[in-house]
Amino acid sequence: MSTLIKAGADDAKRYWLDEGRGDKGGFIREVDYAANARGLDPLFEGIKIVDCDTHFTEPANLWVDNAPVGMKDRMPHVERIGEADKWVCMGRDFGSLGGNVIAKDKNKLLGKLAFQRYEQIAPGSYDLNERLKDMDDMGIWGHICFQNGGVTQAGSLVALGDEAVAIAIVQIYNDACKDRMDASGGRVNCMATLPYWDKGLMNAEMRRVADLGIKGVVLPDRPERLSEGYLAEDGGISPFWEEVFEICHSQGIPINYHLNSSLDAESAMWNNLGFDQRLPISALIHHIGCAATMSNFMVSGLLDKYPDLKIGLIESGAGWVPFWLEGMEHQLDEFRTLVNRKLQRRPKEYFRKNFWVSFWFEHVAPTKLIDEIGADRLLFETDYPHPTSLYPGVQDKLVSVLGHQPFELRKQVLQDNAFALYNLQG
């Protein structure tokens, strides 16, 4: 019997927990921003560093200003509720602004998930020109961006009971991805979302996303929460998802699984743990969720049907990869999965061809495990502006973990791999 938690009306509201918002009970770390805003370290001259996991906080006027005719009053908008700015759509609570711990004065909030109001957070979180300035200060050429608030959560959009509004919300979000890409000269690339709940609508938007030239799409780690699974009952690709996979495979559009929630972290934690005790455990379990999604693909046969499919496991961490691949090799041999399912490659071979993983806080993975992981499989990220983001000492971190490596390897990890996965130009 499946214990899968289905998508629901409150998904947007619960996307960021209320108990994690606000600076009360938190700690402000004072940041010497000027000392860190020195641009690119000389060790990385000639490298266009791409940060492959950041978040672009949705601007307060995004949906209202871009609403189709006659829909403005039904679009998501920001209201001040108590001490917090909240998204509201058709009278429903659509949650907070997202994870924003970088303050307007450049200091960082610790021990909480976010400040509560736009005027508290760094303008670079939601303003493109300010974002580009911050990137230059940190020596970063490119950002791959994911959503920050929960407005596009599919369960909440379906619960509105207004299909036209739901689709407009998705399309406005994706149009903004295209606009930021163009306005930044290809430096800021936000990943598209889709109306995962309806096959026809999803396929139409996938075709539109491809035509817009958006550099990637986010897919659900457990699609069964929203609609149908990736596999049909006969074990082949589900017709529901077939066109999306065909488009991504044939056009080289990467699919992304971001800080995976395929595993229920709450079910693994003891009762009566406090908020600050649960959050570190939850984050690490989500990393292992990325390993679970990778393993599902490896045993499914989908990577034989779509041998050139590109899959980014984002905010995944990387140090677990050698152990997990070694385990998969052993388990698939002992259970005869490779033989029984007539899989065309072994787990390590699928990984080397189809997957990329990312690191930010780690020291061991980028200093001791690059050969085991594969230098061409490793991406760099900061997770800006989220709670455990690598901020502001980006260049110091990179010098400490990659400074001893040959220039070509530094360039491969920091630039070339991201350019290959996301089809970047610059």
Side-chain angles (χ1 to χ4, degrees):
M1 179 181 294
S2 174
T3 58
L4 186 69
I5 300 172
K6 289 290 188 178
D10 288 339
D11 284 358
K13 177 182 177 181
R14 298 175 62 250
Y15 193 68
W16 288 92
L17 299 175
D18 280 346
E19 62 184 312
R21 291 189 291 107
D23 53 350
K24 294 178 182 178
F27 175 83
I28 300 295
R29 174 188 284 164
E30 294 188 2
V31 169
D32 188 347
Y33 188 82
N36 288 280
R38 63 181 189 271
L40 194 66
D41 190 273
L43 277 174
F44 306 114
E45 288 293 339
I47 299 175
K48 293 180 175 178
I49 297 175
V50 180
D51 181 346
C52 291
D53 176 31
T54 70
H55 298 266
F56 204 98
T57 303
E58 293 77 19
N61 61 348
L62 174 63
W63 282 281
V64 171
D65 282 1
N66 295 284
V69 174
M71 285 192 187
K72 183 170 290 191
D73 62 344
R74 289 182 283 163
M75 286 290 106
H77 60 279
V78 173
E79 294 183 11
R80 180 69 53 84
I81 301 176
E83 297 182 355
D85 287 344
K86 301 287 290 289
W87 286 104
V88 176
C89 184
M90 295 176 63
R92 293 176 179 264
D93 184 345
F94 262 51
S96 73
L97 309 183
N100 290 286
V101 300
I102 312 304
K104 189 174 183 179
D105 63 6
K106 304 295 188 181
N107 290 327
K108 184 178 182 182
L109 173 65
L110 303 183
K112 305 289 281 186
L113 294 176
F115 290 107
Q116 298 192 86
R117 300 182 297 278
Y118 278 100
E119 71 262 21
Q120 295 176 295
I121 63 179
S125 299
Y126 56 86
D127 180 272
L128 180 62
N129 290 329
E130 293 294 328
R131 173 66 66 104
L132 291 169
K133 291 177 185 176
D134 290 348
M135 291 163 62
D136 290 340
D137 287 347
M138 295 296 113
I140 300 294
W141 178 83
H143 270 184
I144 303 299
C145 302
F146 297 85
Q147 69 183 48
N148 206 348
V151 173
T152 59
Q153 291 296 294
S156 296
L157 295 181
V158 172
L160 291 173
D162 190 325
E163 185 174 278
V165 168
I167 295 304
I169 290 171
V170 170
Q171 292 186 336
I172 291 169
Y173 179 90
N174 289 337
D175 288 342
C177 295
K178 166 67 170 174
D179 291 344
R180 293 181 198 125
M181 177 178 68
D182 291 345
S184 68
R187 293 179 63 188
V188 174
N189 289 280
C190 300
M191 298 294 101
T193 190
L194 299 172
Y196 308 112
W197 61 88
D198 182 278
K199 176 184 173 183
L201 297 173
M202 180 175 68
N203 288 340
E205 185 62 11
M206 183 69 238
R207 292 191 294 270
R208 198 179 77 91
V209 163
D211 289 343
L212 289 173
I214 295 174
K215 298 300 184 180
V217 63
V218 177
L219 292 190
D221 39 65
R222 289 298 305 274
E224 299 90 345
R225 289 190 70 234
L226 309 167
S227 51
E228 297 184 21
Y230 293 133
L231 297 181
E233 290 187 4
D234 64 2
I237 179 72
S238 166
F240 188 93
W241 291 97
E242 190 166 15
E243 185 171 350
V244 169
F245 277 82
E246 292 282 359
I247 291 171
C248 290
H249 181 253
S250 64
Q251 299 189 35
I253 299 171
I255 61 177
N256 296 269
Y257 295 94
H258 176 272
L259 189 57
N260 199 286
S261 59
S262 62
L263 303 179
D264 178 12
E266 293 295 324
S267 69
M269 290 184 279
W270 295 349
N271 293 341
N272 301 319
L273 289 177
F275 179 78
D276 63 321
Q277 294 171 305
R278 300 196 314 270
L279 262 293
I281 301 170
S282 178
L284 291 170
I285 290 173
H286 288 323
H287 300 321
I288 301 305
C290 289
T293 291
M294 179 183 76
S295 302
N296 281 322
F297 269 101
M298 287 177 173
V299 302
S300 69
L302 292 181
L303 298 179
D304 295 334
K305 181 175 178 61
Y306 304 110
D308 296 318
L309 192 65
K310 299 194 294 186
I311 303 171
L313 301 175
I314 307 302
E315 203 172 333
S316 58
W320 53 266
V321 170
F323 162 78
W324 200 272
L325 290 178
E326 192 171 15
M328 285 291 288
E329 294 271 331
H330 176 72
Q331 297 292 335
L332 266 63
D333 283 341
E334 295 302 302
F335 286 108
R336 291 181 57 80
T337 310
L338 288 163
V339 175
N340 293 343
R341 300 294 172 171
K342 298 181 174 58
L343 298 176
Q344 296 175 16
R345 293 186 177 86
R346 297 186 62 82
K348 290 183 179 180
E349 294 172 321
Y350 284 126
F351 181 79
R352 299 262 189 259
K353 184 171 178 61
N354 299 104
F355 295 94
W356 285 257
V357 293
S358 60
F359 78 94
W360 75 106
F361 62 88
E362 292 171 270
H363 182 81
V364 172
T367 60
K368 301 181 183 300
L369 298 177
I370 287 183
D371 288 342
E372 289 293 325
I373 297 168
D376 61 339
R377 301 291 101 187
L378 195 58
L379 305 167
F380 170 68
E381 63 158 282
T382 67
D383 197 28
Y384 174 92
H386 275 187
T388 63
S389 58
L390 188 64
Y391 169 89
V394 176
Q395 296 297 311
D396 288 343
K397 176 65 176 183
L398 291 177
V399 169
S400 72
V401 297
L402 294 175
H404 65 290
Q405 296 286 2
F407 176 82
E408 286 305 316
L409 189 144
R410 280 178 255 149
K411 181 172 177 288
Q412 182 171 37
V413 171
L414 298 177
Q415 172 185 308
D416 295 348
N417 294 341
F419 271 57
L421 175 60
Y422 293 107
N423 306 303
L424 302 181
Q425 298 175 348

